[in-house]
């Protein structure tokens, strides 16, 4: 049984409605035909015949009523979608439809803001931590380190020159701390540690007499070709038998090199004495030139020596 539309008229069948919509759609796509046929109402009949011929060419039989209804619907702009004009309600509806994308954009913006805030906070707190660490270092750490080093040096320094050197380095460290110069203070503290290590060292200066190695050398100074400078080649040997590497300043060019063997300048008499000792059997029996005791800066020599050393020969 057919449904009854409002007002008592029978509702059009679905297939007829669809066919009428197709007629309108065909009219829209035939722009030239529409312009010519609809420019004058008297030519509706001509348009209807052309549409009928078009559909019959597709094997479709369309009634006059449907063709008339299609032409009338095109004129009335039925079956045409006109977008709603801009309004707050339309905007909110579009936002609701695209809420997933909007949520992603908002979330991304929030994450970016949080990250930016985190980076800024990290930079600020890092700078604050560094500033606080520097303050603690200058006001607490370095002064305490100097105090500790001074107490140790008072115990370690046993000779007058060692004590004087310790006092001088401690004073330099305290001045750097008081002046707020962190770099100079650290360098001064490192110098205190080096001095303490030097004072703690003990070794013998042994004259080298192994086969194939030089025991002594002499140099002819450029300024006086009639003179000779004599040197004995030595090494610093610890009580455990290890040879130390020590920083030695060469009197020939003023450079400092860390070496395990170097030449100590000696008088000709000392040089000749050692040469005679080695000449009988190739071995220097009396091979201890000096000994460096704990608490001193330099070795105590058992033979006569002169100031000066060389690091190559």
């Amino acid at each position: 049984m057919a449904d009854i539309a409002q007002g008592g008229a029978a509702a059009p069948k679905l297939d007829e409605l669809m066919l009428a919509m197709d007629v309108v759609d065909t009219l829209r796509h035939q722009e030239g035909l529409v312009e010519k046929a609809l420019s004058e109402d008297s030519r509706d009949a001509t348009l209807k015949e052309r549409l009928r011929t078009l559909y019959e060419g597709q094997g479709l039989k369309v009634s006059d009523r449907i063709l008339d209804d299609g032409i009338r619907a095109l004129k009335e702009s039925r079956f045409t979608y006109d977008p709603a004009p801009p309004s707050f309600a339309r905007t909110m509806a579009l936002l609701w439809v695209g809420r997933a994308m909007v949520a992603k954009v908002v979330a991304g913006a929030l994450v970016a803001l949080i990250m930016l805030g985190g980076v800024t906070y990290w930079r600020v707190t890092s700078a604050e931590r560094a500033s606080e660490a520097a303050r603690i270092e200058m006001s607490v750490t370095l002064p305490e380190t100097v105090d500790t080093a001074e107490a140790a040096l008072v115990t370690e320094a046993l000779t007058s020159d060692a004590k004087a050197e310790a006092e001088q380095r401690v004073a330099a460290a305290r001045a750097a701390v008081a002046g707020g110069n962190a770099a100079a203070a650290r360098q001064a503290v490192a110098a205190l540690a080096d001095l303490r290590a030097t004072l703690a060292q003990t070794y013998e200066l042994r004259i080298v007499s192994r086969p194939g190695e030089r025991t002594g050398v002499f140099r002819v100074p450029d300024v006086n070709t009639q003179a000779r400078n004599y040197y004995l080649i030595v090494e610093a040997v610890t009580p455990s038998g290890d040879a130390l590497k020590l920083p030695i300043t060469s009197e020939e060019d003023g450079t400092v090199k860390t070496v395990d063997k170097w030449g100590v300048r000696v008088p000709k008499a000392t040089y000749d004495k050692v040469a005679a000792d080695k000449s009988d059997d190739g071995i220097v029996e009396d091979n201890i030139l000096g000994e460096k005791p704990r608490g001193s800066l330099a070795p105590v020599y058992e033979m006569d020596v002169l100031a000066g050393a060389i690091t190559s020969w």
Side-chain angles (χ1 to χ4, degrees):
M1 179 179 296
D3 293 334
I4 304 300
Q6 188 176 10
K13 295 181 179 180
L14 181 60
D15 55 349
E16 292 183 353
L17 182 60
M18 296 297 293
L19 189 55
M21 292 175 66
D22 185 74
V23 169
V24 175
D25 188 61
T26 301
L27 287 170
R28 289 200 192 97
H29 286 82
Q30 299 291 325
E31 294 181 1
L33 181 64
V34 171
E35 289 177 0
K36 293 177 182 179
L38 294 186
S39 59
E40 301 177 14
D41 293 340
S42 61
R43 302 189 64 182
D44 285 355
T46 302
L47 175 60
K48 184 164 66 174
E49 290 303 319
R50 291 182 180 179
L51 287 173
R52 190 193 312 277
T53 301
L54 180 64
Y55 278 103
E56 288 178 351
Q58 299 176 15
L60 296 175
K61 186 174 181 61
V62 183
S63 66
D64 290 343
R65 183 176 60 80
I66 291 177
L67 292 174
D68 291 337
D69 189 58
I71 294 171
R72 186 167 50 255
L74 181 63
K75 291 179 178 181
E76 296 172 358
S77 297
R78 281 190 290 155
F79 307 124
T80 301
Y81 170 73
D82 293 323
S87 65
F88 177 77
R90 179 173 179 268
T91 300
M92 295 306 296
L94 291 174
L95 287 175
W96 175 253
V97 172
R99 60 188 181 279
M101 182 59 68
V102 172
K104 291 181 180 179
V105 172
V106 172
L110 288 175
V111 170
L113 287 173
I114 292 171
M115 291 180 65
L116 179 60
V119 170
T120 303
Y121 174 78
W122 179 83
R123 288 178 177 174
V124 171
T125 54
S126 295
E128 291 176 349
R129 287 196 299 269
S131 177
E132 179 64 13
R135 185 192 67 77
I136 293 174
E137 181 185 29
M138 290 302 298
S139 62
V140 179
T141 306
L142 287 175
E144 288 182 353
T145 302
V146 174
D147 291 342
T148 301
E150 181 182 26
L153 289 174
V154 168
T155 303
E156 291 284 357
L158 302 179
T159 62
S160 58
D161 59 340
K163 291 178 181 179
E165 182 67 19
E167 290 174 358
Q168 182 179 347
R169 296 196 185 190
V170 169
R174 292 199 185 284
V177 171
N181 190 333
R186 296 188 197 103
Q187 186 175 1
V189 167
L192 293 176
D194 289 341
L195 177 59
R196 184 178 180 184
T198 297
L199 295 176
Q201 285 179 333
T202 60
Y203 56 82
E204 291 180 337
L205 278 183
R206 295 183 186 177
I207 301 170
V208 175
S209 64
R210 290 182 291 270
E213 295 190 62
R214 302 288 292 273
T215 296
V217 297
F218 66 86
R219 292 280 205 267
V220 178
D222 293 336
V223 296
N224 183 5
T225 58
Q226 300 301 316
R228 287 187 177 184
N229 296 334
Y230 297 93
Y231 302 89
L232 292 176
I233 310 304
V234 299
E235 57 187 352
V237 181
T238 67
S240 61
D242 298 323
L244 297 176
K245 286 188 173 183
L246 299 176
I248 305 297
T249 301
S250 173
E251 66 175 353
E252 294 183 319
D253 57 14
T255 60
V256 179
K257 295 181 179 178
T258 301
V259 294
D260 56 4
K261 287 188 286 289
W262 66 98
V264 176
R265 189 175 178 183
V266 297
K268 185 177 185 302
T270 303
Y271 183 88
D272 289 342
K273 177 183 177 181
V274 173
D277 186 356
K278 186 178 180 180
S279 63
D280 57 351
D281 58 3
I283 299 174
V284 180
E285 278 81 9
D286 189 8
N287 67 342
I288 305 301
L289 182 64
E291 181 178 358
K292 195 275 183 189
R294 189 182 183 95
S296 67
L297 292 174
V300 177
Y301 292 98
E302 298 181 7
M303 300 181 186
D304 292 336
V305 300
L306 300 173
I310 57 175
T311 55
S312 61
W313 47 90

